[in-house]
Amino acid sequence: MPVTTIEWIDDHIRLIDQTRLPEALVYLDIHDIPTLAEAIRSLRVRGAPAIGIAAAFGVLLTAFQYRGENTDELMQQLHETSQFLAETRPTAVNLRWALEQMMQEARRIAGASVAEIRDVLYRKAMDLFESDRQVCRRIGEHGAALIPDGAQIITHCNTGALATVDWGTALGAIFTAHAQGKKLHVWVDETRPLLQGARLTMWELMHEGIPATLMCDNTAAFLMQRQKIDLCIVGADRIAGNGDTANKIGTYYLALAARHHGIPFYVAAPISTFDFSLQQGDQIPIELRNPEEVTEGFGRRTAPEGAAVYSPAFDVTPNELITAIITEVGVLRPPFQEAISRLAKGE
Ligand code: MRU
């Protein structure tokens, strides 16, 4: 993709304001933690890996802005930033994972000088940034191997460059397959209520010249009935130890329809999206969004004032509906519990 979603520029964070897409490609320069927290909460930056990098850069920002020489005071500020950012979005485990990576690094050299802690955190944040790029390329290669030439593919939400540093997971597999010369056609769920599919995935696919068709979320089952679909591929926000997968609301419906029609259903995600501490999906915390995103999304009232709303941002697809999970180290197949416990041990 010709865009980098998030970057560290000298002493601050620069990211694409995704709420402005597809009308305008606008970059935000972020110099303080409350502004970063607002950007994460309001989905200016979104997608599990991208918010992980945003959070890591938030810890780095705190270290860069600390002007004193007291290590304990700096560690306390880093801790507060980390706690504060961890609360911005509860489901995507990459956020907490990245914060923990940064804090572990700071704690590892806690007796060092302020300048040393700042240097170490800078290197760690750059490592996480670079590693996201490489991890996505590897997911892309493993995923592309499952995509046949001529494939008709359904995807949900946005899992592309905009959801990571610059390539993507599920959409990254599609980009890699396309780069290999395969002819593809992608059916894109618009992804209610915030339209990440319509606004962001269509924008990315059209940029890349990959044939794509937008459809309302409630169209997929009918499409599967009428047209040969080869596979569905989606991302993940948190995967439990048994393979149950939290992803954008509507993913579970898609998986059910795919199972009914005998269509392979793939999840693509980095190892940082696995929560090895959870046995199963009902333990994953699910973010509830502001009712106004449903009743007057994008500034137009579409339900009566005062209408009761239920708006979970994610659902959980049970592992038995998932054909395989594509990671940077290879493709996991059922039984997922065994495959994931080997992954946890680094085998
Ligand atoms: O609410 P969002 O837009 O952050 O939700 C994003 C998703 O559900 C993605 O599918 C997931 O984070 C994987 S991104 C590679």
Side-chain angles (χ1 to χ4, degrees), residues 18 40 43 45-51 89 92 94 136 156-160 162-164 168-171 191 194 196 199-200 234-238 246-249 251 268-270 273 287 289 313-314:
Q18 300 187 33
I40 297 173
L43 275 52
V45 58
R46 32 81 33 218
I51 57 177
R89 296 200 73 191
N94 305 61
C136 284
H156 190 70
C157 197
N158 173 268
T159 59
L162 292 166
T164 59
T169 57
L171 210 55
T191 316
L194 295 175
Q196 289 92 329
R199 294 186 301 107
L200 310 176
V234 299
D237 284 82
R238 197 184 295 219
N247 190 49
K248 179 54 57 191
I249 190 78
T251 303
T273 300
E287 174 183 3
R289 297 292 298 179
F314 304 99

